[in-house]
């Protein structure tokens, strides 16, 4: 693959790679060089309509296919993606700026594992037999919903394709998928591989495009009864409101403001590494990022000096090189938003302990970099409350367990949290008290295809991954069979 110029990326509708009907395109940048990598076709409402029509036409045969056959196709997809692991990792790194050491060791293998997990579930989606009145058999099946609309953000494009397509397809639905127009390349590559391994035309359609046009049309389309959205809380709320008008089922994975709490009895060296990983991996562009660090007062100074040493040692650079530990942010606009957050923090009295700027090295000037940043703040500061989605850690101090829990829960978000302690009872107690969909004890950012992923409060509702996700792509259908020999009269005699 030539790393500087890639072929134009198209829409994928009904098994064909096509231009947008109105010919719209936008540039796809390499965030390290700032140069144009390629262009992507941009779907308009009319392209989305064609994609929905294709998915609707494909639904009867796809949902009627033996579930094990759907599973086999997903396995085949995973096998083929595995053969192309290196190409996928390079593409993801070029488009997003994630260091290649992460895309090759985390994003690509996890996406493949995820497809395999859901491949295995396809023929294990069980219903139930319900105890009802004598003389009747009542059974409940899980049936696919139909055409599913899936909308993804720009931060983990390949992972999200597997998280969303895997359960929806395993359950027998067909899909219209909108990747972000900023990072559509690996999603389109997955579509290419699906085509090659034999997914029937129309089962999956990909329509990169602008949110307010392609995204909104998916949300409003009358033939799309189920939506799965990952993105900001702002857009999530507007999608929930639009979907309510048509009574669509919606699953929302939204923003976060992860609280990572370190107690004085923790293994501090492990917690320092965990705190750095929680906020600096993928340049902090993760919904689950541990962007609020709560330190017990007695260990706060020692902890911060160790953490700053780790942060100073993080190697920024060309994300295509194995030595790079932090790459550029994915877009210039996003870089400027993150820098603005830091400025607001300073104005409000936050104390920048390290970073806070774009790096000055000549080699990093063209990329959308921001130095690893640690700011000591108060809980009322904007930066301690709003999602920054960058390599910026807000540090707060607490005196005891109840204050830690109170401060951590004082957030509109409820996606993820971390607890570092060697006290077993405290670990369970605090994990129970934190109002987040996921909590990690003495670790951070652990994710597996079998474990439900999602948040509480303004972080959304519904879950990705696990049987939970598969079930969310089904309807319950209850059937009653009269198994008694006697006929029921019109009126039951007294
Ligand atoms: P965004 O909300 O701006 O966009 C997400 C997607 O929605 C994009 O594909 C966009 O084109 C589309 N969109 C925008 N407006 C739309 C509309 N009116 N109708 C339909 N679609 C529309 O988010 P982003 O900037 O791409 O991603 C960053 C956000 O995503 C952060 O808030 C982050 O926390 C969140 N996120 C959440 C999770 C999670 O699992 N909870 C995971 C990753 C990212």
């Amino acid at each position: 693959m030539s790393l500087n110029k890639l072929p134009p990326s198209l829409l994928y509708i009904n098994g064909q790679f096509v231009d947008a009907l109105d010919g719209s395109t936008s540039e796809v940048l390499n965030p390290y060089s700032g140069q144009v990598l390629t262009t992507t076709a941009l779907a308009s409402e009319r392209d989305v309509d064609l994609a929905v029509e294709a998915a609707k036409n494909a639904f009867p045969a796809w949902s009627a296919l033996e579930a094990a056959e759907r599973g086999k196709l997903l396995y085949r997809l995973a096998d083929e993606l595995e053969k192309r692991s290196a190409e996928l990792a390079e593409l993801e790194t070029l488009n997003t700026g994630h260091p290649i050491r992460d895309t090759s060791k985390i994003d690509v293998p996890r996406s493949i594992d995820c497809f395999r997990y859901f491949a295995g579930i396809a023929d294990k989606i069980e219903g139930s037999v319900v105890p009802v009145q004598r003389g009747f058999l009542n059974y409940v099946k899980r049936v696919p919903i139909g055409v599913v609309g899936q909308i993804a953000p720009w931060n983990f494009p390949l992972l999200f394709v597997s998280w969303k397509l895997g359960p929806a397809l395993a359950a027998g639905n067909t899909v219209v998928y909108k990747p972000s127009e900023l990072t559509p390349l690996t999603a389109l590559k997955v579509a290419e591989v699906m085509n090659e391994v034999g997914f029937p035309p129309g089962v999956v359609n990909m329509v990169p495009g602008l949110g307010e046009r392609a995204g909104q049309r998916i949300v409003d389309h009358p033939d799309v009864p189920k939506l799965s959205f990952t993105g900001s809380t702002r857009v999530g709320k507007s999608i929930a409101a639009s979907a309510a008008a048509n009574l669509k089922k919606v699953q929302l994975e939204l923003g976060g403001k992860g609280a990572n709490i370190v107690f004085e009895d923790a293994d501090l060296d492990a917690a320092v590494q965990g705190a750095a990983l929680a906020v600096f991996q993928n340049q902090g562009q993760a919904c689950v990022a541990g962007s609020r660090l709560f330190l017990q007062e007695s260990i706060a100074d020692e902890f911060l000096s160790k953490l700053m040493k780790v942060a100073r040692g993080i190697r920024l650079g060309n994300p295509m090189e194995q030595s790079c530990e932090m790459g550029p942010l994915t877009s210039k606009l996003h870089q400027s938003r993150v820098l603005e957050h830091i400025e607001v923090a300073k104005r409000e009295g936050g104390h920048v302990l390290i970073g806070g700027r774009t790096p000055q090295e000549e080699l990093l000037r063209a990329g959308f970099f921001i130095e690893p940043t640690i700011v000591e703040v108060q809980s009322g500061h904007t930066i301690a409350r709003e999602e920054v989605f960058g390599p910026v850690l807000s540090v707060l101090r607490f005196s005891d367990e109840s204050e830690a829990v109170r401060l951590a829960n004082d957030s509109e978000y409820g996606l993820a949290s971390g607890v570092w302690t060697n006290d077993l009872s405290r670990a369970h107690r605090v994990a129970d008290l934190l109002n987040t969909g996921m909590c990690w004890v003495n670790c951070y950012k652990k994710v597996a295809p079998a474990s439900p992923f999602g948040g509480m409060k303004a972080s959304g509702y519904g879950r990705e991954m696990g049987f939970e996700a598969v079930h969310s792509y089904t309807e319950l259908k209850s059937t009653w069979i009269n198994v008694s020999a006697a006929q029921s009269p019109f009126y039951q005699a007294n």
Side-chain angles (χ1 to χ4, degrees):
M1 175 166 53
S2 158
L3 302 186
N4 296 323
K5 200 70 196 157
L6 300 174
S9 165
L10 300 172
L11 313 181
Y12 180 64
I13 298 177
N14 205 22
Q16 306 286 325
F17 286 91
V18 293
D19 286 310
L21 286 173
D22 66 4
S24 292
T25 60
S26 74
E27 290 178 338
V28 177
L29 300 188
N30 174 337
Y32 172 65
S33 65
Q35 302 293 308
V36 177
L37 203 51
T38 182
T39 58
T40 179
L42 279 187
S44 71
E45 293 81 351
R46 287 197 297 143
D47 299 295
V48 171
D49 289 353
L50 290 180
V52 173
E53 193 185 328
K56 199 175 163 189
N57 291 338
F59 178 71
W62 179 249
S63 55
L65 193 65
E66 288 292 347
E69 294 301 316
R70 292 200 298 267
K72 274 188 207 159
L73 273 169
L74 284 166
Y75 277 125
R76 239 182 268 158
L77 171 67
D79 291 348
E80 199 52 42
L81 292 175
E82 195 159 49
K83 287 186 204 150
R84 302 187 193 193
S85 291
E87 182 190 354
L88 283 163
E90 283 182 5
L91 206 52
E92 191 77 331
T93 293
L94 284 172
N95 195 179
T96 61
H98 297 193
I100 191 89
R101 57 196 282 163
D102 284 353
T103 54
S104 58
K105 296 203 186 79
I106 299 174
D107 301 57
V108 172
R110 280 195 190 163
S111 303
I112 293 165
D113 284 352
C114 184
F115 277 122
R116 289 208 174 107
Y117 173 80
F118 288 111
I121 284 189
D123 59 357
K124 298 169 191 69
I125 305 172
E126 295 184 359
S128 58
V129 176
V130 181
V132 292
Q133 297 93 311
R134 186 165 303 127
F136 294 90
L137 168 66
N138 177 228
Y139 61 87
V140 180
K141 283 196 200 179
R142 289 192 173 272
V143 298
I145 299 173
V147 178
V148 168
Q150 301 183 323
I151 300 175
W154 45 260
N155 60 325
F156 289 108
L158 180 63
L159 274 171
F160 291 144
V161 178
S162 65
W163 290 21
K164 290 190 186 295
L165 290 188
L169 296 176
N173 302 277
T174 55
V175 178
V176 175
Y177 187 96
K178 193 190 93 57
S180 164
E181 70 283 6
L182 299 177
T183 56
L185 302 186
T186 45
L188 268 300
K189 182 57 72 178
V190 170
E192 189 182 312
V193 177
M194 289 184 130
N195 192 288
E196 285 170 23
V197 302
F199 278 83
V203 168
V204 168
N205 306 273
M206 298 253 179
V207 284
L210 301 178
E212 56 273 23
R213 293 201 65 187
Q216 192 64 49
R217 181 60 185 153
I218 294 173
V219 171
D220 292 337
H221 201 295
D223 291 332
V224 179
K226 155 91 184 175
L227 298 166
S228 167
F229 171 79
T230 300
S232 62
T233 295
R234 182 185 64 79
V235 175
K237 283 180 180 170
S238 89
I239 287 179
S242 305
N246 297 318
L247 293 180
K248 294 185 185 221
K249 295 169 185 28
V250 190
Q251 174 245 325
L252 300 170
E253 298 292 344
L254 308 178
K257 193 73 194 172
N260 208 2
I261 306 173
V262 184
F263 288 100
E264 60 192 0
D265 59 46
D267 174 339
L268 293 194
D269 290 326
V272 164
Q273 295 298 327
L277 171 111
V279 73
F280 296 132
Q281 194 184 41
N282 194 22
Q283 297 76 257
Q285 300 168 128
C287 50
V288 293
S291 55
R292 289 182 301 156
L293 178 66
F294 294 96
L295 298 176
Q296 194 150 18
E297 269 155 10
S298 51
I299 49 103
D301 289 334
E302 179 192 354
F303 193 93
L304 279 176
S305 83
K306 284 175 186 256
L307 181 62
M308 286 195 288
K309 191 164 170 225
V310 170
R312 274 195 202 97
I314 293 174
R315 284 171 296 188
L316 275 61
N318 182 346
M320 290 296 276
E321 289 171 9
Q322 282 293 340
S323 58
C324 170
E325 293 172 333
M326 243 182 72
L329 277 72
T330 298
S331 79
K332 192 164 183 56
L333 176 65
H334 186 56
Q335 179 200 35
S336 65
R337 284 188 185 139
V338 174
L339 289 170
E340 178 57 24
H341 272 289
I342 297 169
E343 288 312 309
V344 171
K346 286 189 206 159
R347 284 204 294 277
E348 291 182 359
H351 180 40
V352 177
L353 301 177
I354 181 174
R357 309 169 308 169
T358 55
Q360 302 303 301
E361 293 90 320
E362 190 58 40
L363 273 176
L364 304 179
R365 288 266 175 84
F368 313 141
F369 285 91
I370 294 183
E371 291 174 344
T373 300
I374 303 177
V375 196
E376 187 140 16
V377 300
Q378 303 297 318
S379 64
H381 288 172
T382 308
I383 201 163
R385 311 198 71 78
E386 292 187 0
E387 185 180 43
V388 175
F389 221 56
V392 183
L393 180 64
S394 294
V395 179
L396 299 102
R397 300 179 187 226
F398 66 90
S399 56
D400 59 16
E401 188 178 304
S402 64
E403 188 185 21
V405 170
R406 182 177 59 73
L407 288 171
N409 281 338
D410 180 20
S411 169
E412 67 167 310
Y413 296 109
L415 187 60
S417 55
V419 180
W420 298 84
T421 177
N422 278 327
D423 177 335
L424 182 65
S425 305
R426 166 178 277 167
H428 287 282
R429 190 166 59 238
V430 174
D432 276 353
L433 289 170
L434 293 172
N435 299 326
T436 56
M438 293 164 286
C439 181
W440 294 290
V441 176
N442 294 335
C443 57
Y444 204 89
K445 274 194 181 172
K446 291 290 161 203
V447 177
S451 181
F453 183 104
M456 300 176 178
K457 304 196 279 184
S459 294
Y461 42 75
R463 294 292 180 267
E464 309 256 32
M465 318 283 246
F467 269 91
E468 202 64 41
V470 176
H471 288 170
S472 79
Y473 287 106
T474 62
E475 301 263 26
L476 287 178
K477 180 159 183 179
S478 168
T479 303
W480 290 73
I481 310 284
N482 184 348
V483 293
S484 70
Q487 293 291 318
S488 296
F490 178 48
Y491 278 111
Q492 202 73 43
N494 286 331

XYZ file of all heavy atoms in Angstrom, residues 151-156 160 163 178-182 209-219 229-236 238-239 252-256 285-288 334 337 387 389 413 415 438 453-455 459 464, ligand 1:
475
model
N -24.712 4.318 13.415
C -23.955 5.564 13.179
C -22.780 5.591 14.147
O -22.961 5.411 15.360
C -24.883 6.778 13.397
C -26.062 6.703 12.409
C -24.106 8.085 13.222
C -27.110 7.782 12.595
N -21.576 5.813 13.598
C -20.359 5.689 14.416
C -19.557 6.994 14.439
O -19.631 7.783 13.495
C -19.490 4.564 13.861
N -18.773 7.215 15.488
C -17.901 8.390 15.554
C -16.551 8.092 14.894
O -16.351 7.015 14.336
C -17.738 8.592 17.054
C -17.765 7.205 17.601
C -18.649 6.386 16.701
N -15.628 9.033 15.024
C -14.364 8.899 14.297
C -13.244 8.271 15.113
O -12.159 8.035 14.602
C -13.881 10.268 13.787
C -13.972 11.377 14.803
C -14.956 12.320 14.876
C -13.073 11.663 15.885
N -14.729 13.174 15.932
C -13.583 12.792 16.569
C -11.895 11.086 16.352
C -12.949 13.336 17.699
C -11.269 11.628 17.466
C -11.801 12.736 18.124
N -13.462 7.975 16.390
C -12.285 7.671 17.222
C -11.788 6.236 17.172
O -10.581 6.012 17.290
C -12.516 8.136 18.667
C -13.696 7.470 19.327
O -14.692 7.189 18.669
N -13.600 7.227 20.600
N -12.687 5.235 17.050
C -12.225 3.840 16.896
C -12.986 3.209 15.734
O -13.835 2.337 15.931
C -12.479 3.036 18.181
C -11.600 3.404 19.338
C -12.101 4.101 20.424
C -10.256 3.056 19.349
C -11.295 4.449 21.493
C -9.434 3.390 20.414
C -9.951 4.093 21.483
N -15.520 -0.175 16.083
C -16.974 0.038 16.118
C -17.702 -0.726 15.020
O -18.846 -1.133 15.198
C -17.304 1.535 16.061
C -16.909 2.254 17.323
C -16.426 3.548 17.296
C -17.002 1.620 18.554
C -16.044 4.192 18.471
C -16.636 2.258 19.732
C -16.151 3.551 19.689
N -18.155 -4.099 16.610
C -19.104 -4.051 17.730
C -20.537 -3.941 17.233
O -21.455 -4.471 17.843
C -18.836 -2.819 18.603
C -17.587 -2.847 19.403
C -16.475 -3.611 19.186
C -17.309 -2.055 20.561
N -15.525 -3.332 20.132
C -16.011 -2.375 20.981
C -18.026 -1.088 21.255
C -15.411 -1.772 22.087
C -17.438 -0.491 22.361
C -16.132 -0.839 22.770
N -23.280 4.128 8.960
C -22.625 5.396 8.595
C -21.373 5.592 9.428
O -21.442 5.938 10.618
C -23.549 6.596 8.804
C -22.933 7.827 8.109
C -23.624 9.127 8.455
C -22.985 9.832 9.616
N -21.559 10.152 9.456
N -20.184 5.377 8.802
C -18.969 5.748 9.513
C -18.823 7.257 9.505
O -19.509 7.948 8.738
C -17.850 5.085 8.687
C -18.420 4.851 7.339
C -19.927 4.885 7.438
N -17.942 7.787 10.327
C -17.660 9.219 10.281
C -16.998 9.541 8.942
O -16.166 8.778 8.449
C -16.725 9.600 11.424
O -16.176 10.869 11.170
N -17.346 10.694 8.389
C -16.725 11.091 7.119
C -15.232 11.384 7.299
O -14.479 11.418 6.342
C -17.457 12.297 6.510
C -17.294 13.614 7.236
C -18.132 13.751 8.506
O -18.777 12.764 8.908
O -18.108 14.843 9.108
N -14.806 11.567 8.570
C -13.373 11.835 8.820
C -12.543 10.558 8.758
O -11.378 10.585 8.370
C -13.177 12.479 10.201
C -13.859 13.816 10.452
C -13.630 14.269 11.881
C -13.333 14.863 9.467
N -20.901 9.988 5.337
C -21.550 11.239 4.946
C -21.649 12.142 6.155
O -21.273 11.755 7.269
N -22.165 13.326 5.921
C -22.279 14.288 7.014
C -23.414 13.881 7.943
O -24.455 13.374 7.484
C -22.542 15.682 6.456
C -21.459 16.215 5.507
C -21.857 17.596 4.972
C -20.107 16.288 6.212
N -23.245 14.178 9.227
C -24.261 13.805 10.202
C -25.611 14.405 9.912
O -26.646 13.730 9.943
N -25.602 15.705 9.576
C -26.891 16.385 9.419
C -27.621 15.978 8.144
O -28.811 16.256 8.002
C -26.730 17.911 9.505
C -25.767 18.535 8.544
C -24.315 18.569 9.070
O -23.950 17.765 9.951
O -23.555 19.390 8.556
N -26.903 15.319 7.227
C -27.587 14.859 5.999
C -27.752 13.333 6.049
O -28.828 12.834 6.339
C -26.775 15.274 4.765
C -26.766 16.791 4.589
C -26.444 17.182 3.171
N -27.464 16.756 2.242
C -27.352 16.854 0.917
N -26.258 17.354 0.372
N -28.336 16.457 0.125
N -26.651 12.607 5.805
C -26.775 11.134 5.757
C -27.235 10.575 7.102
O -28.119 9.714 7.167
C -25.430 10.529 5.353
N -26.623 11.077 8.193
C -26.969 10.558 9.523
C -28.429 10.817 9.849
O -29.171 9.919 10.245
N -28.839 12.038 9.629
C -30.216 12.406 9.978
C -31.226 11.627 9.131
O -32.293 11.237 9.618
C -30.405 13.923 9.785
C -31.692 14.467 10.375
C -31.761 14.330 11.906
O -30.819 14.688 12.603
N -32.862 13.789 12.409
N -30.882 11.359 7.878
C -31.815 10.595 7.033
C -31.964 9.156 7.553
O -33.070 8.605 7.537
C -31.317 10.596 5.575
C -32.237 9.845 4.621
C -33.638 10.448 4.594
N -34.558 9.663 3.779
C -35.876 9.620 3.965
N -36.444 10.312 4.931
N -36.638 8.888 3.172
N -30.858 8.584 8.015
C -30.973 7.233 8.595
C -31.914 7.287 9.799
O -32.795 6.442 9.966
C -29.582 6.699 9.031
C -28.679 6.485 7.815
C -29.728 5.404 9.823
C -27.241 6.128 8.160
N -31.722 8.316 10.620
C -32.535 8.445 11.839
C -34.017 8.616 11.490
O -34.894 8.046 12.143
C -32.032 9.655 12.673
C -32.970 9.957 13.825
C -30.619 9.388 13.186
N -26.376 4.164 17.948
C -25.570 5.377 17.752
C -24.438 5.416 18.769
O -24.657 5.210 19.965
C -26.451 6.616 17.922
C -25.669 7.912 17.958
C -25.198 8.489 16.792
C -25.389 8.539 19.167
C -24.471 9.683 16.820
C -24.661 9.732 19.206
C -24.206 10.301 18.022
N -23.249 5.713 18.311
C -22.132 6.024 19.204
C -21.627 7.398 18.824
O -21.329 7.655 17.653
C -20.999 4.988 19.071
O -21.521 3.704 19.404
C -19.849 5.304 20.011
N -21.533 8.284 19.804
C -21.068 9.635 19.507
C -21.316 10.541 20.701
O -21.432 10.077 21.840
N -21.446 11.809 20.427
C -21.541 12.781 21.519
C -22.927 12.762 22.172
O -23.927 12.392 21.540
C -21.265 14.179 20.971
O -22.242 14.507 20.008
N -22.981 13.223 23.393
C -24.252 13.299 24.107
C -25.186 14.297 23.410
O -26.392 14.074 23.317
C -23.997 13.685 25.576
O -23.267 12.597 26.169
C -25.282 13.897 26.352
N -24.611 15.366 22.895
C -25.441 16.376 22.209
C -26.199 15.746 21.039
O -27.422 15.856 20.941
C -24.544 17.522 21.707
C -25.285 18.648 21.018
C -24.312 19.693 20.450
N -23.443 19.162 19.398
C -23.814 18.970 18.130
N -25.039 19.265 17.742
N -22.962 18.480 17.245
N -25.472 15.059 20.153
C -26.142 14.450 18.995
C -27.041 13.293 19.448
O -28.141 13.099 18.920
C -25.103 13.991 17.941
C -25.779 13.244 16.803
C -24.332 15.188 17.390
N -26.588 12.553 20.464
C -27.397 11.435 20.978
C -28.772 11.903 21.433
O -29.792 11.257 21.158
N -30.395 14.520 20.350
C -31.239 14.921 19.212
C -31.725 13.667 18.475
O -32.851 13.627 17.971
C -30.495 15.893 18.288
O -29.768 15.209 17.312
N -30.897 12.609 18.446
C -31.333 11.363 17.793
C -32.472 10.724 18.586
O -33.478 10.272 18.015
C -30.133 10.403 17.630
C -29.229 10.944 16.517
C -30.592 8.974 17.339
C -27.996 10.141 16.251
N -27.872 4.018 22.623
C -26.998 5.189 22.575
C -25.743 4.977 23.425
O -25.845 4.703 24.629
C -27.740 6.418 23.113
C -29.011 6.847 22.384
C -29.762 7.911 23.183
C -28.689 7.379 20.987
N -24.589 5.085 22.794
C -23.306 5.077 23.519
C -22.749 6.482 23.401
O -22.308 6.885 22.326
C -22.311 4.101 22.871
C -22.730 2.664 22.875
C -22.753 2.066 24.251
O -22.160 2.651 25.182
O -23.384 1.019 24.412
N -22.755 7.232 24.498
C -22.453 8.669 24.379
C -21.175 9.045 25.120
O -20.297 8.220 25.317
C -23.666 9.456 24.858
C -24.988 9.023 24.190
C -26.169 9.789 24.740
C -24.911 9.169 22.677
N -21.098 10.280 25.527
C -19.850 10.780 26.097
C -19.557 10.234 27.484
O -20.372 9.535 28.080
N -18.383 10.581 27.993
C -17.993 10.128 29.328
C -17.046 11.108 29.992
O -16.523 12.031 29.357
N -8.639 10.134 23.165
C -9.872 10.168 22.353
C -10.643 8.869 22.553
O -10.763 8.038 21.654
C -9.511 10.371 20.886
C -8.748 11.668 20.645
C -8.150 11.736 19.258
O -8.351 12.687 18.545
N -7.416 10.724 18.851
N -11.084 8.674 23.761
C -11.841 7.466 24.103
C -12.958 7.889 25.034
O -12.735 8.662 25.972
C -10.945 6.438 24.779
N -14.162 7.366 24.760
C -15.299 7.730 25.612
C -15.064 7.300 27.049
O -15.532 7.943 27.973
C -16.562 7.073 25.063
S -16.320 5.317 24.763
N -14.331 6.186 27.239
C -14.102 5.680 28.596
C -12.855 6.283 29.247
O -12.483 5.886 30.357
C -13.956 4.138 28.604
C -15.263 3.472 28.229
C -12.820 3.677 27.707
N -10.594 19.243 16.065
C -10.652 18.674 17.407
C -9.453 19.144 18.239
O -9.588 19.457 19.429
C -10.703 17.145 17.328
C -10.911 16.522 18.662
N -11.991 16.840 19.466
C -10.166 15.649 19.376
C -11.909 16.186 20.596
N -10.806 15.455 20.581
N -10.233 22.435 19.626
C -11.214 22.367 20.728
C -10.543 21.940 22.036
O -10.846 22.463 23.105
C -12.299 21.353 20.391
C -13.284 21.875 19.371
C -14.437 20.876 19.246
N -15.345 21.281 18.200
C -15.917 20.451 17.325
N -15.672 19.161 17.389
N -16.736 20.915 16.421
N -16.576 16.759 28.801
C -15.715 15.793 28.132
C -14.719 16.542 27.248
O -15.119 17.392 26.453
C -16.573 14.867 27.271
C -15.765 13.764 26.636
C -16.615 12.847 25.772
O -17.463 13.357 25.013
O -16.428 11.628 25.859
N -11.951 14.749 25.615
C -11.667 13.825 24.521
C -10.269 14.072 23.939
O -10.055 14.042 22.733
C -12.724 13.985 23.419
C -13.176 12.686 22.821
C -13.692 11.669 23.598
C -13.093 12.466 21.449
C -14.125 10.466 23.042
C -13.525 11.273 20.870
C -14.042 10.284 21.673
N -22.198 12.473 33.474
C -21.914 11.222 32.759
C -21.854 10.026 33.704
O -21.649 10.192 34.909
C -20.572 11.343 32.030
C -20.580 12.405 30.952
C -19.870 13.589 31.105
C -21.312 12.221 29.784
C -19.885 14.563 30.116
C -21.330 13.192 28.792
C -20.615 14.354 28.958
O -20.637 15.308 27.982
N -20.291 6.642 32.430
C -19.847 5.561 31.534
C -18.876 4.604 32.229
O -19.150 3.418 32.353
C -19.215 6.167 30.278
C -18.855 5.194 29.166
C -20.085 4.437 28.668
C -18.211 5.928 27.988
N -19.593 0.773 33.646
C -18.437 -0.122 33.760
C -17.515 0.396 34.848
O -17.327 1.608 34.975
C -17.670 -0.158 32.437
C -18.470 -0.816 31.337
S -17.800 -0.462 29.714
C -18.280 1.220 29.462
N -21.018 -3.361 27.318
C -20.296 -2.090 27.277
C -21.313 -0.975 27.092
O -22.083 -0.977 26.132
C -19.320 -2.115 26.092
C -18.457 -0.891 25.974
C -17.125 -0.912 26.357
C -18.974 0.297 25.454
C -16.333 0.224 26.241
C -18.191 1.428 25.339
C -16.860 1.388 25.730
N -21.307 -0.011 28.018
C -22.225 1.117 27.863
C -22.361 1.869 29.164
O -21.738 1.511 30.169
N -23.182 2.916 29.129
C -23.182 3.814 30.279
C -24.536 4.099 30.882
O -25.582 3.669 30.382
N -24.435 9.263 29.608
C -23.576 8.420 28.761
C -24.398 7.463 27.904
O -23.825 6.668 27.149
C -22.573 7.651 29.612
O -21.675 8.558 30.220
N -23.572 -2.311 24.131
C -22.900 -3.022 23.050
C -22.323 -4.293 23.669
O -22.168 -4.388 24.877
C -21.718 -2.201 22.501
C -22.055 -0.778 22.136
C -22.181 -0.532 20.644
O -22.596 -1.445 19.904
O -21.873 0.588 20.232
P -20.625 13.204 17.027
O -21.776 13.009 17.931
O -20.330 14.544 16.536
O -20.799 12.291 15.730
C -20.981 10.901 15.815
C -21.598 10.401 14.509
O -22.905 10.952 14.401
C -20.851 10.835 13.255
O -20.903 9.793 12.310
C -21.655 12.042 12.779
O -21.538 12.267 11.403
C -23.064 11.600 13.145
N -24.042 12.686 13.310
C -23.811 13.978 13.645
N -24.978 14.659 13.675
C -25.965 13.781 13.372
C -27.374 13.866 13.269
N -28.031 15.006 13.465
N -28.073 12.755 12.953
C -27.443 11.587 12.772
N -26.095 11.435 12.844
C -25.374 12.517 13.152
O -19.372 12.564 17.783
P -17.861 12.482 17.290
O -17.252 13.835 17.449
O -17.785 11.807 15.975
O -17.254 11.462 18.372
C -16.855 11.853 19.625
C -17.931 11.558 20.647
O -18.301 10.186 20.608
C -17.470 11.803 22.070
O -18.473 12.477 22.782
C -17.302 10.414 22.638
O -17.419 10.300 24.012
C -18.353 9.664 21.924
N -18.050 8.241 21.953
C -18.780 7.422 22.778
C -18.475 6.079 22.852
C -19.243 5.143 23.765
O -19.177 3.947 23.535
N -19.949 5.624 24.761
C -17.436 5.562 22.104
C -16.708 6.431 21.296
C -17.037 7.773 21.216
